[in-house]
Amino acid sequence: MRSLAFEDWSGGGSRMHGLDARVKLLGALTVLLCLAATDWESAAAFAGYFALLTTYLAAAGIPLGGSLLRSLIVLPFVAGIAILNLWGGDPSRAILILLRSLLSAYTAIALLATTPFPALLRGLERMRVPPFLLMVLHFVHRYLFLLSSQAQSMARSRKCRAPLRRGRTPLWKASAGAIAVLFARSYGRAERIHHAMLARGFQGRFPVFAESGAQRGDWFGLAATVMLAVAIQIAARFWMG
């Protein structure tokens, strides 16, 4: 099974990768809150946030092109709202929605690209996030890989059995049948995995084999991130004003 790019990126050994997950979570939350507080009058702050995130990714050795490309995944979800604002004669609000959405996705990518998912969940657990929510996130993440594995297996089977065949079945009917089979096979395999976990003593919490606390430098990095984000917000308001 091919892994997601985030899984490969998050296994790096840079200083950014080594930061405590709580520090990165709080830093990302700070940037997101500043983005939510940024209005059209201080739109220059968006350039500052973009530069801050890009510097972070570059220091971590994450491909900037791939990160920017993946941040565009939010466009289908916000394009409709932006078009409605344009249609209503409010182009500034449409641009503001697009900028906020794209930079929010860019922030999430910066977090996921430098933090392995188990470490991210452990950081959320240590921040007192409800265990049930963490368990749901963990299983959704793992079963997405299971779904992807089954889809790749079905695609290889189709190519091996009929690589050049051109059937007369409409594409939407063939796709509907394939999706039904995919979910049926994935559900069956997921159920077997769950029974295997219970047989091995799973009690609703994944064990942590190695854990290290946040160092003093990690908290200094968080403080610097907060101060930079707030400084960008204040400087943009002063400059635009």
Side-chain angles (χ1 to χ4, degrees), residues 12 26 31 41-43 75 85 113 141 148 164 176 179-180 206 217 240:
L26 291 173
V31 175
E41 285 73 17
S42 57
L75 281 181
N85 281 275
H141 176 258
S148 173
L164 301 176
I179 291 173
F206 291 93
M240 295 298 292

Side-chain angles (χ1 to χ4, degrees), residues 106-191:
Y106 199 40
T107 304
I109 288 170
L111 175 63
L112 293 173
T114 56
T115 313
F117 198 76
L120 189 64
L121 290 181
R122 181 56 180 157
L124 289 170
E125 182 182 6
R126 296 173 70 182
M127 293 170 67
R128 307 303 180 186
V129 174
F132 175 76
L133 179 59
L134 296 178
M135 190 59 57
V136 170
L137 290 174
H138 188 103
F139 277 107
V140 167
H141 176 258
R142 290 306 170 193
Y143 285 140
L144 283 177
F145 280 92
L146 175 62
L147 200 65
S148 173
S149 175
Q150 291 294 333
Q152 293 171 23
S153 176
M154 290 174 61
R156 285 194 299 269
S157 298
R158 181 185 60 81
K159 291 179 180 179
C160 291
R161 291 171 183 169
L164 301 176
R165 184 177 177 181
R166 295 292 185 270
R168 297 182 180 179
T169 305
L171 180 60
W172 66 272
K173 287 186 178 181
S175 299
I179 291 173
V181 173
L182 171 63
F183 276 96
R185 292 180 58 181
S186 299
Y187 179 82
R189 186 175 173 188
E191 190 174 17

